[in-house]
Amino acid sequence: MHEPAILVTGGAGYIGSHVVKQLGRSGRRLVVLDNLSTGFPDAVLHGELVVGDTGDMDLVRELLVRHRVRAVLHFAAHIVVPESVRDPLKYYRNNTCNTRNLLACCAAAGVEHFIFSSTAAVYGIPQETFIDEDAPTAPINPYGASKLMSEWMLRDLAAASQLRYVILRYFNVAGADPEGEIGQRTPEATHLIKVACEAAVGRRPGVEIFGTDYPTPDGTCIRDYIHVDDLAAAHLQALAHLEGGGASTILNCGYGHGYSVREVLAAVERVSGRPLNIRETGRRPGDPPALTADSRRIREVLGWRPRHDDLEFIVRTALDWERALARKQAAEG
Ligand code: UFG
């Protein structure tokens, strides 16, 4: 009989695929469940890919039992904040209802460990710029609310059962696999580093700065950018924590310091060796001036240490990926 598998939902997506790569390398048996709405089958470098929906309870039940799953990593979600404002029920269905159904299947199948992809968006517009996990949660968009509701379901289910969890609240995830095999492929990207790298390789005419009148040193917003590989490593350590008997916990994922929009764009110009066509425009609604993670807890609880806390490295891997993507798409016509 096979060893129990780990179920990874959304493993064909940006962050999920990086975690699948690291888990596969570490020799774990994986089953990836992804409906390919935004993921890509060739991003799944290890394990068995099952194309299907997290909300399909019959399918999920069958997978959990057949593969004797003890641990679930749940990435599958919609993640575009402005879209969540336009179409909130899409987010509550896919992010919240589907998580509820997944949790129901996990409870029935005796799954012991659950790692959940949450977001700094649960904090809304925080009082402090340096945020710890006990800061009040007050999401300002349906995306953040849909994730926070999932956190609550997980917390409450864990209190009523044997399930233990780690909730990881991601700050600004960026960069790509340093080996160049996988990266972010979102067709209509909105995230700053991805957008700037697309501009740097000529796939967009330029990049806009949304607001230059914030109360920050250079007037643009500050964010805590974390390399996707460091984030992926945090998932493996979170799993080891749970498998070693560790308690349920919520952990911020960020480096604990940030960069302004202007600093990010300057880094993209340095790394690419070319000036960007930059246009300064007004503020984007809902952007807090500065968001940086207090990351002491993840360092203490998991012993997590970033390997790529270096903006230029983040940008270089993102840019290399963007170039590879442009070549691939040119070759495909
Ligand atoms: N920005 C620009 N121009 C762009 C894109 C972004 O100036 O073309 C600015 C934004 O206004 C913001 C900063 O760059 O100040 C970062 O914006 P992103 O869109 O890259 O990321 P966000 O900080 O808005 O969002 C991230 C995650 C979300 C999560 C949120 C939590 O991507 O999933 O943090 O605060 F909800």
Side-chain angles (χ1 to χ4, degrees), residues 51-249:
V51 180
D53 222 86
T54 317
D56 180 345
M57 291 181 80
D58 290 338
L59 173 64
V60 173
R61 263 194 293 263
E62 191 270 323
L63 288 177
L64 293 176
V65 172
R66 179 153 57 92
H67 294 283
R68 300 192 298 130
V69 172
R70 288 286 155 271
V72 172
L73 280 75
H74 180 36
F75 297 92
H78 293 317
I79 58 156
V80 182
V81 172
E83 184 191 45
S84 81
V85 175
R86 280 197 311 276
D87 191 355
L89 297 185
K90 177 174 175 178
Y91 279 67
Y92 291 123
R93 183 186 64 229
N94 190 41
N95 295 3
T96 311
C97 299
N98 284 355
T99 299
R100 186 255 161 226
N101 290 345
L102 174 63
L103 287 174
C105 296
C106 289
V111 168
E112 294 164 4
H113 308 131
F114 199 98
I115 297 177
F116 179 60
S117 303
S118 191
T119 167
V122 299
Y123 297 116
I125 301 190
Q127 303 294 314
E128 311 289 331
T129 55
F130 194 57
I131 307 155
D132 70 29
E133 292 84 352
D134 299 323
T137 48
I140 56 163
N141 50 58
Y143 167 66
S146 71
K147 288 283 186 175
L148 185 58
M149 285 195 263
S150 299
E151 287 196 8
W152 289 343
M153 288 191 288
L154 193 47
R155 177 197 64 194
D156 295 344
L157 175 63
S161 69
Q162 296 301 310
L163 184 78
R164 278 174 297 119
Y165 64 82
V166 174
I167 290 169
L168 297 173
R169 290 181 177 159
Y170 308 163
F171 281 65
N172 288 60
V173 189
D177 172 25
E179 294 171 351
E181 290 187 292
I182 43 180
Q184 196 174 0
R185 282 201 224 176
T186 327
E188 286 165 31
T190 57
H191 290 159
L192 180 65
I193 291 182
K194 170 92 177 155
V195 165
C197 289
E198 286 179 357
V201 302
R203 304 182 84 204
R204 305 183 174 241
V207 52
E208 292 180 332
I209 298 181
F210 299 143
T212 55
D213 59 348
Y214 284 98
T216 58
D218 69 15
T220 67
C221 290
I222 292 172
R223 294 289 182 274
D224 189 336
Y225 295 92
I226 172 174
H227 192 279
V228 64
D229 247 18
D230 278 335
L231 181 65
H235 290 74
L236 272 74
Q237 289 184 264
L239 185 59
H241 166 81
L242 292 175
E243 290 177 340
S248 294
T249 187

Side-chain angles (χ1 to χ4, degrees), residues 3-63:
E3 63 161 312
I6 297 167
L7 177 68
V8 183
T9 76
Y14 171 45
I15 300 167
S17 63
H18 286 78
V19 175
V20 164
K21 179 169 176 176
Q22 289 192 14
L23 278 171
R25 279 242 169 114
S26 76
R28 303 299 298 256
R29 199 164 81 81
L30 306 176
V31 177
V32 173
L33 176 63
D34 198 301
N35 66 9
L36 302 182
S37 62
T38 53
F40 296 86
D42 59 350
V44 181
L45 301 178
H46 296 270
E48 178 187 338
L49 171 64
V50 177
V51 180
D53 222 86
T54 317
D56 180 345
M57 291 181 80
D58 290 338
L59 173 64
V60 173
R61 263 194 293 263
E62 191 270 323
L63 288 177

